[in-house]
Amino acid sequence: MVMETNISQVRETNERRVLQEVFNAGPISRSQISRNLRLNKVTVSDIVASLINKKYLVETGFGTSSKSGGRKPTFVSFNKRLGNVAAFEMGYETLKYLLTSIEGKALYHQEFAVKSLGIRQRLAIIQKCFEEANRSQSVPVLGLAIAIHGIVDQNQVLYTPFVELEGLDLVYELETRLNVPVVLENEANLSAIYERDFENNNNVGNLVCISIHKGIGAGIIIKNQLYTGHHGEAGEIGQTTVYDPKVNDDNLPRTIESICSEDSMVNQIRQQKADFQLSRSDIVNMYRDGDAVTQKVINNACFYIANILYNTIVTLDPTRVSINSPLIRELPELLDQITNAVPHVTGERTKIDLIENVDDATLLGGCSKIIHHILDLRSGVLNFNGKKN
């Protein structure tokens, strides 16, 4: 009985390895899979046949014969028509929606204004998007990912400041309605997953992605795996306290995100300019036009962001730190200002860059998470780089 169990486990492990190899390297021949994975050719052929039968793989053509002649090898590829996945980002003012193929290629994007809507109305929008995608697409939606601005642990929301959950179990509610798997994750963590799975050309095993939006959070990748801590609170760096008499008039500590999050910068400028209708675009233009108030607030925030980066680097020593910030994307010169203000202990500086796809990074990270889940593959083994268009 024990031997049968071990044989079954080895078979399942090898099946996952073959599926991963075809996803990342296909179209590929059975013989090349055998060489790459150092598996017996008969074993590979048997596994490929099983994966084709399960609709995960398809045969996609022939290669060229070897110099000695013989049969042309048959190539196999991952079945991109297996289905689609959807990701939603549940923000304070908006609900963002992205539909992608099972290979992570973006198919459809939409954004809803939800500031005045409760959680049940937001879930109704998600359900409507799911049903519409199933009607309009030729393949089904196989699963959903939900990005949460808050603390998530074991697929449960422990805390979110932006919407009252009314005691609802989001996973239970959605899985019951839609009959597909649903995964929840913190939005900064999903940005880090995006960096690892979509943009990590150098196969960096340790990286941090710092998201600067309404609040500030960090997604942490250590040895290619997402690190969330004991209760999902790792990366809540926006809650770091600051004791600085220049910003603490009442001598009480303030959180760092109350000083240098994007919302904090916008609100400070609105108050000092006595114009509460100013948008981010207005503020970008004012900064470029040399408005003294705007430049002072943003430059001061850059100083504190540099402090966040320095503390992150000396704590975790990542190979790379990426910043997810719509404001810095619109004012890219701020990245140099921040980078130059980061001290370094040794002679080697940690690479700091701006995330490539600020708009969809969180959503694409969610798609990667649910795709790994659907295919029953270990997080981080699939490479979506080159599959985005």
Side-chain angles (χ1 to χ4, degrees):
M1 186 68 175
V2 173
M3 183 174 291
E4 289 179 2
T5 301
N6 289 340
I7 292 173
S8 176
Q9 289 174 343
V10 169
R11 167 71 183 212
E12 290 175 2
T13 298
N14 286 336
E15 193 166 288
R16 291 188 184 98
R17 292 178 66 204
V18 170
L19 181 58
Q20 172 190 336
E21 182 69 16
V22 177
F23 187 99
N24 291 337
I28 187 171
S29 68
R30 291 165 175 81
S31 59
Q32 190 61 53
I33 296 170
S34 175
R35 287 191 292 271
N36 291 355
L37 300 182
R38 297 183 179 181
L39 290 175
N40 181 280
K41 289 183 180 180
V42 175
T43 299
V44 169
S45 294
D46 185 43
I47 289 174
V48 167
S50 174
L51 291 172
I52 289 174
N53 187 55
K54 294 175 182 177
K55 309 299 183 186
Y56 288 119
L57 304 183
V58 292
E59 292 186 332
T60 52
F62 298 94
T64 57
S65 301
S66 64
K67 293 181 180 179
S68 59
R71 293 175 55 186
K72 294 181 178 180
T74 304
F75 285 128
V76 292
S77 297
F78 183 77
N79 182 13
K80 62 185 178 182
R81 293 190 55 77
L82 183 67
N84 297 328
V85 298
F88 296 85
E89 181 179 355
M90 200 173 288
Y92 174 63
E93 296 183 345
T94 61
L95 176 67
K96 295 181 180 180
Y97 162 48
L98 178 67
L99 182 72
T100 77
S101 72
I102 193 72
E103 290 188 308
K105 292 184 179 179
L107 301 173
Y108 183 75
H109 190 288
Q110 194 169 1
E111 190 170 312
F112 304 90
V114 295
K115 185 176 181 179
S116 62
L117 302 184
I119 186 61
R120 297 177 191 274
Q121 293 166 298
R122 298 184 188 206
L123 293 182
I125 293 173
I126 292 173
Q127 181 175 350
K128 184 177 180 181
C129 290
F130 173 86
E131 292 170 348
E132 177 58 30
N134 276 333
R135 281 194 300 268
S136 62
Q137 300 290 319
S138 58
V139 295
V141 178
L142 302 177
L144 273 66
I146 311 293
I148 302 293
H149 290 254
I151 299 171
V152 177
D153 186 44
Q154 301 296 319
N155 223 24
Q156 296 291 313
V157 180
L158 302 187
Y159 167 75
T160 179
F162 296 159
V163 58
E164 174 56 53
L165 298 184
E166 301 177 15
L168 294 180
D169 181 329
L170 299 188
V171 172
Y172 175 80
E173 289 289 330
L174 289 170
E175 289 188 341
T176 301
R177 298 184 192 192
L178 310 179
N179 198 31
V180 296
V182 175
V183 296
L184 307 180
E185 189 54 84
N186 167 270
E187 61 87 21
N189 290 342
L190 291 179
S191 291
I193 289 175
Y194 164 81
E195 277 293 292
R196 179 194 65 189
D197 297 347
F198 283 85
E199 300 296 344
N200 195 5
N201 297 318
N202 297 320
N203 200 26
V204 174
N206 300 322
L207 64 88
V208 177
C209 183
I210 295 179
S211 292
I212 305 172
H213 301 284
K214 192 173 183 65
I216 299 176
I220 304 165
I221 301 290
I222 298 177
K223 294 183 178 179
N224 210 45
Q225 294 300 303
L226 181 68
Y227 178 76
T228 60
H230 187 55
H231 292 118
E233 296 184 59
E236 289 293 318
I237 57 175
Q239 298 303 309
T240 304
T241 52
V242 177
Y243 295 87
D244 187 340
K246 290 185 295 183
V247 295
N248 297 36
D249 295 335
D250 51 9
N251 291 321
L252 295 175
R254 293 177 59 185
T255 63
I256 194 124
E257 69 183 17
S258 71
I259 301 170
C260 59
S261 69
E262 184 171 310
D263 262 34
S264 172
M265 287 185 259
V266 170
N267 288 332
Q268 289 176 63
I269 294 167
R270 284 173 174 171
Q271 290 172 0
Q272 293 185 40
K273 302 293 286 186
D275 185 349
F276 293 91
Q277 302 304 314
L278 289 173
S279 66
R280 184 173 66 220
S281 296
D282 295 328
I283 288 168
V284 167
N285 291 331
M286 289 161 59
Y287 184 89
R288 287 178 174 154
D289 290 341
D291 179 76
V293 169
T294 303
Q295 290 197 342
K296 182 178 179 180
V297 169
I298 292 178
N299 292 341
N300 183 60
C302 286
F303 167 79
Y304 284 100
I305 293 171
N307 276 264
I308 292 174
L309 266 61
Y310 174 71
N311 290 334
T312 299
I313 289 168
V314 296
T315 302
L316 297 172
D317 190 26
T319 308
R320 191 167 110 245
V321 177
S322 293
I323 300 174
N324 184 355
S325 165
L327 182 64
I328 296 175
R329 178 193 56 188
E330 295 187 45
L331 292 171
E333 61 268 30
L334 297 181
L335 182 62
D336 288 335
Q337 182 177 331
I338 292 167
T339 302
N340 291 335
V342 177
H344 55 103
V345 177
T346 66
E348 185 174 344
R349 286 181 175 268
T350 300
K351 181 176 175 58
I352 300 171
D353 57 21
L354 184 66
I355 206 166
E356 183 176 306
N357 191 338
V358 169
D359 291 328
D360 291 338
T362 297
L363 295 169
L364 286 168
C367 289
S368 172
K369 186 176 177 72
I370 188 62
I371 290 169
H372 279 85
H373 178 79
I374 290 166
L375 298 180
D376 194 23
L377 293 175
R378 185 169 182 259
S379 177
V381 301
L382 297 179
N383 178 16
F384 298 91
N385 192 20
K387 298 177 183 287
K388 295 172 286 184
N389 297 320

